[in-house]
Amino acid sequence: MFRKEPLEQGHGMLFDKGTWSSSGFWMKNTYIPLDILFLDDTFTVIDILYDMKPLDTTNRNINKPWRYAIEINAGSMRHIQPGTQINIIE
């Protein structure tokens, strides 16, 4: 939140719910457009929300349970599809 510069290429912000969740995301106080990858407990993509608009308070979700979410710059990884395995590097 409150970030005004795009994320570094190939970087994202990982959210670990600690358990399976069906909650959504909104963009309040977020100034850059994002895509959100939703992952299972093996870091496999379940679904993706594309083009989350800056400052939009609309709650969006995928209507499927997920364990992890990664926010990335909008449009930066259009080649990723559900079923893709993601490598997490700290």
Side-chain angles (χ1 to χ4, degrees):
M1 292 175 53
F2 302 105
R3 184 182 187 99
K4 295 186 179 178
E5 302 82 27
L7 300 169
E8 290 182 51
Q9 181 70 16
H11 288 78
M13 294 177 289
L14 176 67
F15 295 84
D16 178 357
K17 293 300 277 191
T19 187
W20 290 88
S21 176
S22 295
S23 64
F25 281 76
W26 65 350
M27 297 290 286
K28 183 177 181 179
N29 300 320
T30 304
Y31 294 88
I32 59 173
L34 298 171
D35 292 341
I36 303 177
L37 309 174
F38 292 88
L39 314 173
D40 66 14
D41 55 354
T42 66
F43 299 108
T44 300
V45 177
I46 298 167
D47 209 345
I48 304 168
L49 288 177
Y50 292 106
D51 300 317
M52 298 288 287
K53 304 293 183 221
L55 306 175
D56 186 356
T57 58
T58 305
N59 186 38
R60 293 179 58 195
N61 65 48
I62 61 169
N63 297 316
K64 300 174 190 172
W66 54 275
R67 168 68 193 272
Y68 301 96
I70 302 176
E71 293 181 343
I72 58 176
N73 291 324
S76 65
M77 300 212 180
R78 295 290 178 163
H79 62 282
I80 294 178
Q81 301 293 319
T84 301
Q85 185 81 33
I86 303 294
N87 292 320
I88 306 296
I89 301 170
E90 292 185 43

